[in-house]
Amino acid sequence: MSTTVSDFLLERLAEWGVRRIYGYPGDGINGILGGLERHQELFEFVQVRHEEMAAFMATAHTKFTDEVGVCLATSGPGAIHLLNGLYDAKMDHRPVVAIVGQAARAAIGGNYQQEVDLQTLFKDVAGEYVYTASSPVQIRQLVDRAMRIAMAERTVTCIIIPKDVQELDAVEKPPHAHNTVHTGTGYSTPRVVPTEEDLKRAAAVLKAGKKVAILVGAGAKHATDEVIQVADLLGCGIAKALLGKQVVPDDLPFVTGCIGLLGTKPSYDMMMECDTLFMIGSTFPYGEFLPKEGQARGIQIDIDGRNLSLRYPMEVNLIGDSTETLRALIPYLERKEDRSWREKIEKGYHDWWKVVEARCMESADPLNPELVFWELSKRLPDNCILSGDAGTATNWYGRIIKMRRGMQGSLSGSLATMGAAVPYAIAAKFAYPDRVPIALTGDGAMQMNGLNEMLTVAKYWKRWSDPRLIFLVLNNRDLNQVTWEMRIEAGNAKLESTQDLPDFPYASYADSIGLKGIRVDRPEDVASAWDAALSADRPVIFEAYTSGNVATLPPHITFEQAKNYTSALLKNDPEEGGIIKESIKGVVEGIVPHRG
């Protein structure tokens, strides 16, 4: 039985199925920490190095498990640190509950040490539900509503508990009296499908289309079989938003890969030539990579009506769960006998992968980053979990990595923040200790916050049934994604004072803290280095000492982008010689890939 508010708080979270909490201690949550000590059988508390990483890990937990993620931080500075990771969850529509401390009630309003207006601070990121406990009677309803609303709205919620309230006697059952609230646990996701009339309208549009293009996102995560069946019936191809990369496997010849700036040419071509767009569980933001308005008829499925016709004016909008809606739609569809559109897509698929391989095999000084991803892709273990960061590493992840059934992959999608890949991989390992997570990051993100979390890995890795956990770091001594954005989007030369990074010894650092470090800077060593990393008896930092001059150009270069690119080179970019050399190779391979 509970004794304090903190005890009851934790017991109630356990009733909701919470088994892991990511956080960092502080005196503003001393009562809750005491409760964790008394309830060690209920929870695994993961002590991170920074509260931002706790929020990232809670976000990754919900992305990879479909459970609610929970993070814990102290008042004031600790609560503030959570925000970036929580916005990651909010913007990618994932349920996370943040629990934070606050100054004692008697001190609030007195400009007390570490007193921050947390109610206002969290009002945007946790706007659906953020409340402060002022009485032990509230705790049951605050936990129940925070959990239920997070799941129902697929969003972030927040419970603020002043430090003195944490130590008060628990009230497990509010009195049967006026001004009390009596809540319960439990939430089941409803079955949401459109009306039969709307399904028939959608089917009519899809049957009329001669060149249908499917675009899937994270909302179609559990609809793999249904998406493939619909694509087969319609004789069409499937492109993927980056968060939807795991939805359908890349070894199917009608899966054109990712779309957008880091997408593939087959996806771009399919969108530019289609007469019907079928968007499933995606809010892919870049309209220039979708059909031109008026070119294609549109059908969209989304569980949230606010997302419908947001990126393209759709003819039929279907509010529903992707899996259930596709299952309801399939009986109204007919198999198209004309497979010429599918055949064209499959030819584009085969041609594209020849180009990709040829580009990966081109030399660069000291090492082509594309080769690192090519060799990894061939060796990915079954059911591995990939996490990407906001940088060029994710460009290569989007274009080169071939996902197979059973694999998972995610990253910070809508927020696109740096520093998510490492905590995502760590959270994946806690959730699935028998699987192999692989973080794909750059030196910028690793220096920003990833290096400290290697201490978290060193603290916990011996607990895992399979110790393999790999952190790929592209060490190109440059904030490379922004450097290329400066060149291509604005036509500016690289500014060394903002873009150059220190050359840090990542592999040696791993060795120094009891992990395994592998450093590779020659193309002939890449394959064997991956073999060593994937067979290691402990977590690995795989340091790839790569060139920053391999262009991460969009699949289709516009005239404006080409003009900006040329302008950057004419402005005496310090890497001009290397860029020209590597870009010419890439362009040549895009036209006439080498054979053999």
Side-chain angles (χ1 to χ4, degrees):
M1 294 292 291
S2 306
T3 57
T4 70
V5 162
S6 295
D7 292 309
F8 180 53
L9 167 79
L10 296 169
E11 291 167 6
R12 198 67 172 181
L13 287 170
E15 285 188 53
W16 276 95
V18 177
R19 294 293 178 266
R20 185 173 297 106
I21 298 174
Y22 297 96
Y24 198 80
D27 70 332
I29 51 172
N30 272 347
I32 299 173
L33 297 176
L36 283 169
E37 193 278 329
R38 294 188 292 273
H39 294 81
Q40 294 183 54
E41 78 285 357
L42 295 181
F43 299 100
E44 179 179 32
F45 178 77
V46 179
Q47 181 207 76
V48 299
R49 312 274 65 76
H50 188 287
E51 291 90 350
E52 179 185 19
M53 308 304 267
F56 275 137
M57 291 184 198
T59 300
H61 180 88
T62 183
K63 285 186 175 183
F64 292 133
T65 68
D66 293 321
E67 301 170 351
V68 176
V70 178
C71 55
L72 173 66
T74 187
S75 58
I80 293 168
H81 282 163
L82 290 175
L83 289 176
N84 195 49
L86 293 180
Y87 272 103
D88 183 29
K90 174 186 172 70
M91 294 179 69
D92 282 348
H93 311 291
R94 298 309 307 164
V96 170
V97 174
I99 301 169
V100 296
Q102 176 59 295
R105 290 173 296 173
I108 293 176
N111 194 26
Y112 201 70
Q113 183 186 32
Q114 295 190 338
E115 181 193 350
V116 172
D117 184 356
L118 298 180
Q119 196 82 32
T120 300
L121 181 72
F122 282 89
K123 192 59 182 177
D124 181 49
V125 72
E128 294 290 346
Y129 194 79
V130 50
Y131 286 98
T132 301
S134 58
S135 164
V137 179
Q138 290 177 277
I139 297 301
R140 191 171 95 176
Q141 74 192 51
L142 292 179
V143 173
D144 292 350
R145 297 206 70 211
M147 291 293 293
R148 184 173 289 111
I149 290 171
M151 287 187 274
E153 300 295 330
R154 300 174 299 116
T155 194
V156 175
T157 59
C158 179
I159 305 171
I160 304 166
I161 309 180
K163 60 188 301 185
D164 61 319
V165 173
Q166 298 168 28
E167 303 281 8
L168 296 176
D169 290 340
V171 178
E172 298 185 22
K173 182 184 294 186
H176 189 67
H178 192 54
N179 295 326
T180 58
V181 177
H182 301 259
T183 57
T185 60
Y187 178 82
S188 296
T189 303
R191 180 176 184 265
V192 181
V193 293
T195 64
E196 184 178 11
E197 177 184 355
D198 283 340
L199 291 170
K200 289 180 177 178
R201 288 174 57 221
V205 173
L206 293 170
K207 286 191 287 188
K210 298 183 184 303
K211 299 179 179 180
V212 180
I214 292 177
L215 173 60
V216 296
K221 176 182 176 181
H222 299 294
T224 300
D225 291 333
E226 289 77 12
V227 170
I228 292 172
Q229 185 177 354
V230 168
D232 185 59
L233 289 170
L234 299 177
C236 69
I238 306 169
K240 303 188 282 189
L242 194 56
L243 282 176
K245 187 170 173 66
Q246 66 181 5
V247 172
V248 285
D250 288 299
D251 51 11
L252 297 174
F254 52 89
V255 174
T256 60
C258 287
I259 188 174
L261 292 166
L262 40 66
T264 71
K265 189 174 185 299
S267 290
Y268 182 85
D269 291 344
M270 181 172 68
M271 290 296 162
M272 294 304 103
E273 298 174 22
C274 72
D275 63 16
T276 308
L277 172 63
F278 189 9
M279 188 180 291
I280 305 171
S282 175
T283 56
F284 173 75
Y286 302 118
E288 67 270 29
F289 291 96
L290 298 177
K292 292 181 180 179
E293 234 181 278
Q295 170 192 322
R297 303 173 76 180
I299 311 293
Q300 185 177 358
I301 299 173
D302 203 287
I303 193 70
D304 189 340
R306 291 173 292 188
N307 295 330
L308 295 171
S309 283
L310 178 63
R311 309 303 184 194
Y312 190 85
M314 299 294 176
E315 186 172 337
V316 183
N317 295 290
L318 302 174
I319 299 177
D321 171 81
S322 294
T323 306
E324 296 289 348
T325 300
L326 290 174
R327 288 174 181 170
L329 176 66
I330 285 170
Y332 298 106
L333 299 177
E334 299 171 358
R335 179 178 172 83
K336 293 183 185 292
E337 297 304 320
D338 182 357
R339 313 305 278 187
S340 57
W341 174 239
R342 165 69 71 85
E343 290 166 1
K344 182 176 182 179
I345 290 169
E346 292 188 357
K347 182 181 184 303
Y349 169 94
H350 290 296
D351 291 345
W352 167 253
W353 281 107
K354 291 178 183 177
V355 170
V356 171
E357 181 176 11
R359 287 178 178 174
C360 293
M361 296 304 142
E362 285 296 343
S363 62
D365 185 18
L367 179 63
N368 184 349
E370 295 171 295
L371 177 65
V372 177
F373 283 78
W374 181 263
E375 294 295 342
L376 169 62
S377 186
K378 295 191 294 185
R379 292 167 170 79
L380 287 172
D382 291 340
N383 300 317
C384 67
I385 303 172
L386 301 168
S387 62
D389 222 298
T392 55
T394 293
N395 289 4
W396 311 132
Y397 162 70
R399 289 185 183 174
I400 298 171
I401 293 293
K402 284 190 174 184
M403 300 291 279
R404 304 192 305 272
R405 275 185 180 267
M407 294 180 180
Q408 290 200 67
S410 194
L411 66 155
S412 175
S414 296
L415 185 61
T417 178
M418 287 176 66
V422 166
Y424 271 38
I426 295 172
K429 193 64 180 180
F430 276 107
Y432 303 103
D434 59 337
R435 296 170 70 171
V436 182
I438 304 172
L440 311 170
T441 189
D443 44 2
M446 197 66 172
Q447 291 181 18
M448 178 179 283
N449 58 15
L451 287 170
N452 281 352
E453 285 310 308
M454 295 303 100
L455 300 178
T456 302
V457 175
K459 175 182 173 72
Y460 290 107
W461 73 267
K462 292 181 181 178
R463 302 183 184 186
W464 299 324
S465 55
D466 183 333
R468 292 177 296 170
L469 170 59
I470 302 172
F471 302 93
L472 166 64
V473 184
L474 296 183
N475 183 0
N476 53 35
R477 290 76 62 205
D478 178 41
L479 285 171
N480 203 233
Q481 181 77 3
V482 177
T483 297
W484 280 106
E485 288 170 345
M486 290 168 62
R487 290 166 176 154
I488 296 171
E489 295 178 12
N492 292 325
K494 174 182 175 179
L495 181 60
E496 292 174 282
S497 62
T498 67
Q499 301 310 110
D500 283 353
L501 289 172
D503 187 357
F504 185 85
Y506 303 95
S508 298
Y509 173 68
D511 292 331
S512 74
I513 60 173
L515 309 180
K516 183 177 179 65
I518 296 174
R519 186 180 187 275
V520 60
D521 58 10
R522 302 190 309 167
E524 59 266 32
D525 296 333
V526 172
S528 59
W530 274 124
D531 290 337
L534 290 165
S535 61
D537 63 353
R538 64 194 60 211
V540 171
I541 294 181
F542 187 112
E543 179 185 357
Y545 203 75
T546 58
S547 168
N549 294 330
V550 178
T552 60
L553 298 173
H556 173 73
I557 306 297
T558 66
F559 174 76
E560 188 68 24
Q561 289 166 332
K563 185 174 71 174
N564 289 337
Y565 180 66
T566 303
S567 173
L569 297 183
L570 293 176
K571 290 180 180 178
N572 298 315
D573 191 299
E575 304 294 340
E576 177 183 349
I579 294 168
I580 293 174
K581 179 180 177 182
E582 302 306 332
S583 297
I584 288 173
K585 291 179 184 177
V587 171
V588 169
E589 290 302 345
I591 300 171
V592 187
H594 292 174
R595 300 184 182 277

